[in-house]
Amino acid sequence: MATKIRLQRGGRKGYAFYSIVIADARAPRDGRFTEKIGTYNPNTNPATVDLNFDRALYWVEVGAQPTDTVRTLLKGQGVYLMKHLKGGVKKGAFDEAALQQKFDAWKQSKDQKVSSVCENIAKSKKEAAAKELEAEKKINETIAKKVADKKAAEAAAKAEAEAAAKAEEAATETPAEEAPAEA
């Protein structure tokens, strides 16, 4: 029986979620499987992989053939690096302590790269939000200035109308007062 390490689709329409499974090569994609060794969620940024490392390493060493996507995921998690390092231990190139040290150094650098990517994404989102806020403030300021100018123009027009009305009242009252005084 040829075994494959493949993805089994789950989730809803438009929001795929995958299980990483060990299955017979003849089984359909979402059909029967031997063992579930992890999950893969491509919807997060960066994509989330939850893997049972020991079982994945066991199946790779036994000879299970991964699909291209799963091979990429396993390489990203360090399964193939560990297989390679264990081959070096079997050949006597180095011992178990050196194996663990090399793997830990690789894992630490990998985690550091992932965290820097996450920080850059968060930083860019924060900068974009700040730029949007600044642009919105400028728009609000221009709108507020237009409204203030309009209100000032209305107030000036109202003041002119009141002044004209007072002047007209004064003009009509003054001749009436002067006329009786002259007579």
Side-chain angles (χ1 to χ4, degrees):
M1 172 176 101
T3 56
K4 302 266 300 173
I5 305 174
R6 63 165 53 144
L7 295 176
Q8 186 177 45
R9 193 181 194 289
R12 65 178 189 268
K13 181 179 177 183
Y15 193 85
F17 186 84
Y18 298 95
S19 296
I20 303 170
V21 297
I22 309 299
D24 185 3
R26 297 167 291 181
R29 177 189 72 176
D30 297 335
R32 215 164 88 190
F33 60 90
T34 308
E35 182 180 353
K36 179 179 173 183
I37 60 170
T39 59
Y40 168 59
N41 185 1
N43 301 306
T44 60
N45 190 6
T48 307
V49 178
D50 183 28
L51 184 69
N52 184 340
F53 188 84
D54 296 331
R55 292 305 294 168
L57 182 61
Y58 165 77
W59 282 105
V60 168
E61 288 177 339
V62 166
Q65 294 298 311
T67 61
D68 293 338
T69 305
V70 173
R71 181 179 294 113
T72 303
L73 295 175
L74 295 177
K75 284 181 181 178
Q77 294 295 310
V79 173
Y80 277 95
L81 177 65
M82 183 61 87
K83 180 184 176 193
H84 174 73
L85 292 173
K86 281 191 171 188
V89 170
K90 286 180 185 174
K91 292 178 183 177
F94 47 86
D95 60 347
E96 288 284 333
L99 172 141
Q100 196 61 41
Q101 184 181 14
K102 288 181 181 185
F103 185 75
D104 290 341
W106 175 84
K107 190 72 171 171
Q108 185 178 14
S109 69
K110 177 80 173 176
D111 291 342
Q112 191 175 29
K113 287 178 186 176
V114 170
S115 66
S116 70
V117 166
C118 290
E119 289 173 4
N120 288 340
I121 290 170
K123 185 178 178 182
S124 66
K125 283 183 180 179
K126 191 174 182 180
E127 288 175 356
K131 286 180 182 178
E132 287 180 23
L133 182 64
E134 194 64 35
E136 190 173 334
K137 283 182 180 179
K138 287 181 181 178
I139 291 171
N140 287 344
E141 287 174 2
T142 58
I143 291 172
K145 186 175 180 183
K146 287 179 183 178
V147 169
D149 290 345
K150 186 176 179 182
K151 285 184 178 180
E154 288 175 358
K158 187 176 180 183
E160 284 181 23
E162 288 177 4
K166 284 184 181 179
E168 197 174 300
E169 259 183 44
T172 57
E173 289 179 7
T174 308
E177 290 176 6
E178 290 179 8
E182 290 178 6

